[in-house]
Each structure stands twice: as structure tokens, then as C-alpha cells.
Amino acid sequence: MDAGERWIRFLRQYGPLPQNDNMFDEQIRRSASRLGVNPIVFKHPLEDEVLKVFDGSVTPRCLVLTGTAGDGKSHLCSQVWHQLQGDPDLWASNDVYFQLNPTINGRTYTLHVIRDLTAMPDDDDGARYTSKSALLVKLSSALFDASSDVLFLIAANDGQLIETWRKLGLVGDSQRARELFEARLMGDELAGPEPRLQFFNLSNVPSATVLELALDGLLAHEGWQACMSNPHADGFFGPECPIRKNFELLQTPLVRSRLLDLFKLCDFGELHTPIRRVLMLLANAVLGHPDARERLMLPRDVKGVLAKGTRYQASLYSNLFGANLSATKRESLEIFDYLGRFGIGQETTNRVDNILIFGVEDDNLKHYYEQLIANDPFYGGTERFRSAQRAYVEAPEATAGDRHDFLDMLVEQRRALFFKIPEELAAELKLWSLTVFAGAGEYLDEVARPLQAGERVGRHLVARLVNGLNRIFTGLLVSSERELLLATSLSFSGSRVSQLLEDRVAVSARGRPEKVDVVLRRGFPCLEVTLPNGVVRTLRLNLTRYEFLQRVSQGALPGNFSRECYEDILAFKSALLAAASAKATAGVADAGEELSFRLLSLDANGNPIDYVVEIADA
């Protein structure tokens, strides 16, 4: 087996294999050693900050690494261990608890390293601790004792971290430590002396950042050069090899940028993807094929794939969405669930489908067809596609079963078009209408990126969001964009139709504090409302809520898109109403005075008007 084949065999270990659920970092290292190849390496975005805790440049502190499985906690623990000159053979064992006595800035500490809190046994065969609970109570006290020589490094999934400390009860400083961990997870600070704690939630690292690093690490691996240096003319890494083609596609700037956009949108949709899953996705994208063993190709499979004419089933464009996997497997992996939510392949426009179906003959569409389909004889304008295309045009009804074969090919081609349509045609061909989120491109280009660059969101977008809010807040087809209408009903604030006007909040009011704006809070776009009384309330403007408000602004009914979003917006309205009335209690009518209400209605153009209804005290 040559170096190129060993590399592909190793790359396969990153894919969606059953054994990749536990001890992933350790298994990858062992597999790399066994095959004599280097693993995919890149610096974790938090590595420098983690190593700084113990490098002597600052006073060392206790360190907690938390996040979801696959975020890189074990890898960072190993980096700290090696920095402090821990025994590499000891670290390579299956143990999860270690002790080290590093000397930092002339002071010797006892460092307790727990690289997997959940897997740590209750009792230690080596008698390094009497019980797991007693050790954790001891470590809890070290957090609040500035003179202590005890340090710890603990890696744990966020829920397991809190649950483990909750079970310790009220012994010693355990409850105090748990409250501290909970506050750090929420991004809050607790009052009182600063504890000896450095806390990193690895799930806060953007998945898009991880994707860029993983892509660079994968594409720069020396294993590819070994593949290039020994191609098989009619098989592995030859001109017709799908593994080679998928590798080359991942290198193209357009494919990379579109995939990166999807990951950014997942981040802004509050969908986190850990490092392990990103590497799995990339390995599957390159090696996926439904007929291969465990659905991932080996070099020896390529010749058979070409002989059977099933190269199209190895397409990177489909593998990125897990099309090579069984439905059960695909649904069990959150990354494919997240990417599947975009509906790429299922969503389309009439123009795109006309290009795919009639473009080869239609003079008005032919130049699109040639640029986007015919110019890709590998996965696009193949003889298989052209033959099915002709058959569908001549006889659109299904020849066997309930569905024409060409319709499945359309799904494949729409997915490919999402990664092929160049930026100069993106607006013309409505690129993002190939997804469920037609406003996703606008969200990226006109909301997220300007905010991250320190710029303001355009007033026209804020106006549209306000219009969407008004239609949900009132249940009426309001056309108002310059002010936010806070309305309720006689029953409760969450009523579908609310015509009792409580307040108006100007989007921009000179000389007054009230305003509505989209701002960045902790790196996330938020809709921020400053009420006339100066109280501020914010709503995280994730991708789904943005799409929801835009669609409602354009006339869609709230219940037609997302019931969850609808309830979120009504809850935001309730928070605004409560804040608006917080400083108005002094204005409640005394006994004997008239009660008055402002009743909201619309004129012929949808503009809000209100008139006062007075009720005399009988």
C-alpha cells in the first residue's frame, strides 16, 4: 500500500463511522500511528489562550474546558500536558485522571487533570484520590483560596459539568463552585472576590471559524501530494476518479465560500457544529458513495465505481448533505440535520428549473445552461443527465413507479447549482431562493457583516423588521414602518388580534431616547428597542427570526412559517409591554375618574390610526 492509499484509508477514519462516537482524539492518533501518516492538524482558535494559563506569563489558575462532544477539549488538554512536560506515554493510556507537579514562576503546584469528567471512576485503583466526590469538593475549595497550591484542568460537556457538581450537594465550597460554573456558562460575572478560575466554553467558537481551519488543514495535508504522484490511469486519482474531483472542488474559492456561508448562517441560526463533525463532513464530502463499505470509498473502490457508471453517486455536492448515507444515519448526525434545514435541492425557482430542463434548446436560457451545466461534464452535463432530460421533455410522466428518474436528477443539479452559480449571477438567478431562507444572503451581506465591521444596518431593513413586528403585535395588516406599535387586548397580551394601543415607539426620535435598531450584542445581531421611559429590551435576531419577520412584512401569515418564531415574537411583545408600564403605574386612574383606552384601527392604506374611548365610572 503506497503513501497515497494509506492517507485515504486514514482520512476515512474521520468519516461517519460507528466507532467515531467515543474517544475520538485517541482513536485518530492511534490510527495515524498505525498507518504511518500525520493526522489533520490546525491550531484550535482558543489554544493560545488556554496555554497561557500555565505558561508563566500570568499567575496560573484553575481551568475548565466545556462545550459539546467533539469541540476539542481532549486535544487542548493534551496540549497543556505536553507544554508542562507531562509523560507522553502516560497520556497515551486510557486513563482520564492525571497528576502533575509543575513549577511555574518558581512555585510548585499540584495540578489535577481530568480530561473526561464523566468517564472518571468513583474510586482510583492507584489511590491518588479516595473518591471522585471528595476530590471534586477539594478542587472546589481551591477555586476560592488564593494561597492554595492546588490547580486543576477539567474537561467536561457543559450539562455534565453542572450535573456532576449538583450531585455534590452542599459539601464545602461545591455549591459555590457550581453557581460559579453556571454563571460562566451564561457569560455572567458573580459579585465578590475574583475566583482562581479560567473558564472556556468551546461551543462559543463559531463553526465557520472551525470550518476554515479544518479546510486549510485537510487541503494542505501532504497525503494529497502522495496521491497526485502515483495516479492510476483507470482508477484511483486518475482523471475520472471522483475522490480526486471532490478534492479539487473543495479547493475552488466558490465552493469554499458557499460552504462557509452555510456555516455562518448555522452560527447565526444558533446551531453549533463541533470540530469532530466538521472533519466528518469534509471526509464524507470527499469519500462518500452509497455502494462503498460503510458508504465511504477506499482507493480500491474507484475502479469498480467507474466500471459500473455510478460516479455521479460520489458527487461532493450531494455528499455535503449526506445523500450517500442511509436516512437513519443522516438523521442521527446533527451536521447533516443542520445543512438539511436549508432545503437545498428541494427548493427552487421556475427560472432555475427551466434552465435545467429546457436550457439546452431555449436560446434565452442556453448561455446559462452552457456556463452552469454543460461546462461540468463530471457531475453536470453528463450523458446520463442529457438522456434523462430528453426523456422527461418528451414524456414527463413516470415510466416506472410514481416518480420520473429525472426529478431525482433535478435535486442533484439544484444542489450543485448552489455551489456553481457565480457571484455576478447570484442576484439575477436568486441564489438564496434555492434554500428555505430566501433572505439568507441579505442577512449575511446587509446585517451580519456590516455589524461585525462596526457599521450600521440600513434603515430600510430596520423599517421592514418593524413592519413585521407591528403585524404580529397587532394581528392587523399594518403598513407602519416608522414606529413600533405596542398593543394588547382586553383578554391578554398574546391575543392574535390586539387593538388596545398601549404605546408607540418611534424608530428614530430626535431629542428623545426611544428608538428601534439592530445592533451587535456579544457578537450576535439583536433587535434592540429603547422605550420612551429609557428601558431597553433586546431580541436575538437569529436567521430564522429574521426570515420570519421579513416574510410577515411581505404579507405572509405568521402561522405559515414557524409557530416557535411566532411565540417568540409574542413573548418579546409581552416583555416590551411590561417594561413600558413599569414606570407608568403612577398614572393609574383614581376612583371616580374616567378610564380611557386608545382603540387601534387602520385606514384604507393600512396606516394605523387610533381614537380614544372613555368609560365613565358608574
Side-chain angles (χ1 to χ4, degrees):
M1 190 189 310
D2 64 27
E5 291 175 338
R6 291 200 309 273
W7 157 241
I8 296 301
R9 186 175 290 274
F10 171 69
L11 177 61
R12 195 173 178 274
Q13 300 305 306
Y14 287 98
L17 303 177
Q19 64 266 32
N20 279 356
D21 292 335
N22 298 301
M23 301 292 286
F24 178 79
D25 192 52
E26 293 77 7
Q27 288 180 6
I28 288 296
R29 284 191 290 103
R30 291 168 186 165
S31 179
S33 176
R34 185 175 63 252
L35 290 168
V37 299
N38 293 319
I40 299 171
V41 294
F42 53 88
K43 181 183 284 188
H44 192 286
L46 295 177
E47 182 175 314
D48 288 341
E49 293 182 66
V50 168
L51 294 181
K52 186 178 180 180
V53 176
F54 302 111
D55 70 0
S57 62
V58 295
T59 302
R61 312 174 87 190
C62 299
L63 176 61
V64 170
L65 302 176
T66 189
T68 58
D71 272 326
K73 298 184 293 295
S74 295
H75 173 74
L76 288 174
C77 285
S78 71
Q79 296 297 94
V80 172
W81 181 261
H82 297 316
Q83 174 183 267
L84 296 176
Q85 300 180 342
D87 183 353
D89 293 333
L90 183 60
W91 189 261
S93 69
N94 291 327
D95 207 350
V96 297
Y97 172 78
F98 307 88
Q99 280 187 15
L100 201 60
N101 296 105
T103 299
I104 305 173
N105 292 336
R107 183 176 177 183
T108 301
Y109 296 88
T110 299
L111 175 65
H112 302 263
V113 180
I114 306 174
R115 68 178 176 189
D116 186 346
L117 181 63
T118 306
M120 184 180 177
D122 290 331
D123 301 305
D124 181 37
D125 293 338
R128 292 167 296 180
Y129 57 86
T130 55
S131 71
K132 179 178 178 179
S133 297
L135 177 63
L136 296 183
V137 170
K138 176 183 177 181
L139 299 186
S140 299
S141 298
L143 283 171
F144 308 103
D145 183 359
S147 64
S148 175
D149 290 331
V150 173
L151 296 173
F152 62 75
L153 165 58
I154 295 177
N157 294 353
D158 43 19
Q160 294 165 348
L161 175 72
I162 301 303
E163 179 61 18
T164 299
W165 252 265
R166 185 189 66 78
K167 290 179 179 178
L168 296 178
L170 304 178
V171 181
D173 290 305
S174 57
Q175 181 178 0
R176 191 178 171 193
R178 178 176 60 82
E179 292 172 353
L180 175 61
F181 295 154
E182 289 176 338
R184 291 291 189 270
L185 278 171
M186 298 300 295
D188 298 330
E189 296 291 333
L190 291 180
E194 178 67 18
R196 302 168 66 227
L197 175 66
Q198 191 72 50
F199 191 99
F200 292 104
N201 186 352
L202 275 57
S203 293
N204 290 336
V205 175
S207 301
T209 300
V210 171
L211 174 66
E212 286 196 282
L213 294 169
L215 264 174
D216 289 341
L218 170 66
L219 297 177
H221 196 281
E222 64 271 15
W224 297 115
Q225 190 58 45
C227 296
M228 289 287 190
S229 65
N230 189 26
H232 300 184
D234 60 346
F236 176 60
F237 244 70
E240 301 300 315
C241 175
I243 296 177
R244 177 174 180 167
K245 182 64 175 180
N246 291 341
F247 165 64
E248 292 171 347
L249 285 172
L250 273 183
Q251 292 177 299
T252 59
L254 187 56
V255 169
R256 181 186 180 107
S257 67
R258 290 284 156 74
L259 185 57
L260 187 59
D261 280 347
L262 291 179
F263 268 70
K264 288 178 180 177
L265 291 168
C266 284
D267 285 330
F268 288 124
E270 301 181 277
L271 302 174
H272 172 70
T273 304
I275 294 173
R276 184 187 307 176
R277 293 300 192 226
V278 174
L279 290 169
M280 183 202 70
L281 175 74
L282 296 179
N284 190 75
V286 175
L287 303 179
H289 193 290
D291 294 337
R293 183 172 65 88
E294 295 179 307
R295 316 253 177 167
L296 296 168
M297 288 182 288
L298 287 166
R300 65 169 181 256
D301 297 323
V302 174
K303 193 170 183 177
V305 167
L306 297 180
K308 293 177 182 177
T310 59
R311 184 180 68 184
Y312 68 93
Q313 291 183 294
S315 169
L316 172 114
Y317 305 121
S318 296
N319 289 343
L320 283 170
F321 299 95
N324 61 303
L325 304 174
S326 67
T328 302
K329 184 67 173 179
R330 190 166 54 245
E331 291 166 3
S332 70
L333 298 168
E334 73 280 354
I335 180 59
F336 293 117
D337 173 44
Y338 296 164
L339 293 179
R341 296 184 192 188
F342 289 97
I344 298 173
Q346 306 301 325
E347 297 294 317
T348 189
T349 66
N350 288 337
R351 193 173 192 188
V352 164
D353 277 3
N354 285 338
I355 292 170
L356 290 169
I357 299 169
F358 306 110
V360 70
E361 304 291 348
D362 191 320
D363 290 339
N364 294 321
L365 302 174
K366 195 168 188 177
H367 64 288
Y368 297 116
Y369 182 86
E370 290 177 348
Q371 179 180 355
L372 301 172
I373 312 300
N375 279 349
D376 176 16
F378 207 96
Y379 292 135
T382 63
E383 179 54 36
R384 169 181 171 268
F385 177 73
R386 286 286 292 113
S387 176
Q389 182 189 54
R390 288 191 296 268
Y392 182 78
V393 171
E394 293 170 2
E397 64 276 4
T399 54
D402 298 327
R403 184 177 176 87
H404 199 290
D405 290 343
F406 183 67
L407 297 180
D408 292 325
M409 295 186 196
L410 281 180
V411 173
E412 298 168 10
Q413 294 298 330
R414 291 173 194 144
R415 284 174 176 158
L417 282 180
F418 178 80
F419 295 96
K420 290 182 186 178
I421 294 173
E423 286 300 325
E424 59 269 22
L425 293 179
E428 182 181 346
L429 296 181
K430 297 182 179 179
L431 171 71
W432 289 99
S433 290
L434 294 176
T435 77
V436 169
F437 301 97
E442 180 181 80
Y443 181 86
L444 278 177
D445 295 335
E446 300 188 43
V447 178
R449 287 181 178 129
L451 287 175
Q452 290 173 332
E455 302 169 2
R456 297 197 64 178
V457 173
R459 303 313 300 173
H460 66 289
L461 289 182
V462 177
R464 267 195 271 144
L465 291 170
V466 168
N467 184 233
L469 287 173
N470 282 336
R471 291 183 172 189
I472 297 170
F473 283 5
T474 65
L476 305 173
L477 203 60
V478 185
S479 297
S480 176
E481 298 179 339
R482 296 185 177 181
E483 58 183 1
L484 187 64
L485 305 172
L486 300 183
T488 186
S489 68
L490 287 173
S491 54
F492 62 103
S493 63
S495 175
R496 282 186 173 274
V497 178
S498 300
Q499 290 184 265
L500 295 181
L501 186 63
E502 296 289 338
D503 211 342
R504 295 174 182 256
V505 182
V507 172
S508 180
R510 292 184 178 180
R512 300 199 306 275
E514 61 188 278
K515 65 176 180 177
V516 181
D517 206 353
V518 178
V519 298
L520 205 64
R521 291 284 178 264
R522 293 182 178 176
F524 207 95
C526 291
L527 189 66
E528 184 174 87
V529 178
T530 304
L531 297 167
N533 59 20
V535 177
V536 177
R537 291 291 180 268
T538 61
L539 174 74
R540 283 172 72 89
L541 192 61
N542 61 31
L543 172 63
T544 307
R545 289 172 183 167
Y546 181 83
E547 182 79 17
F548 177 64
L549 290 173
Q550 294 291 351
R551 290 199 186 191
V552 172
S553 176
Q554 294 162 12
L557 294 174
N560 286 0
F561 184 76
S562 168
R563 165 61 61 179
E564 182 180 356
C565 274
Y566 181 60
E567 298 295 340
D568 288 345
I569 301 302
L570 289 183
F572 183 54
K573 182 181 89 166
S574 296
L576 289 171
L577 286 168
S581 63
K583 295 187 178 182
T585 53
V588 175
D590 295 329
E593 292 185 1
E594 293 182 339
L595 292 175
S596 64
F597 302 92
R598 285 190 290 170
L599 192 62
L600 183 67
S601 63
L602 306 178
D603 65 15
N605 296 317
N607 297 312
I609 54 177
D610 63 271
Y611 52 92
V612 176
V613 175
E614 295 183 345
I615 301 175
D617 187 0

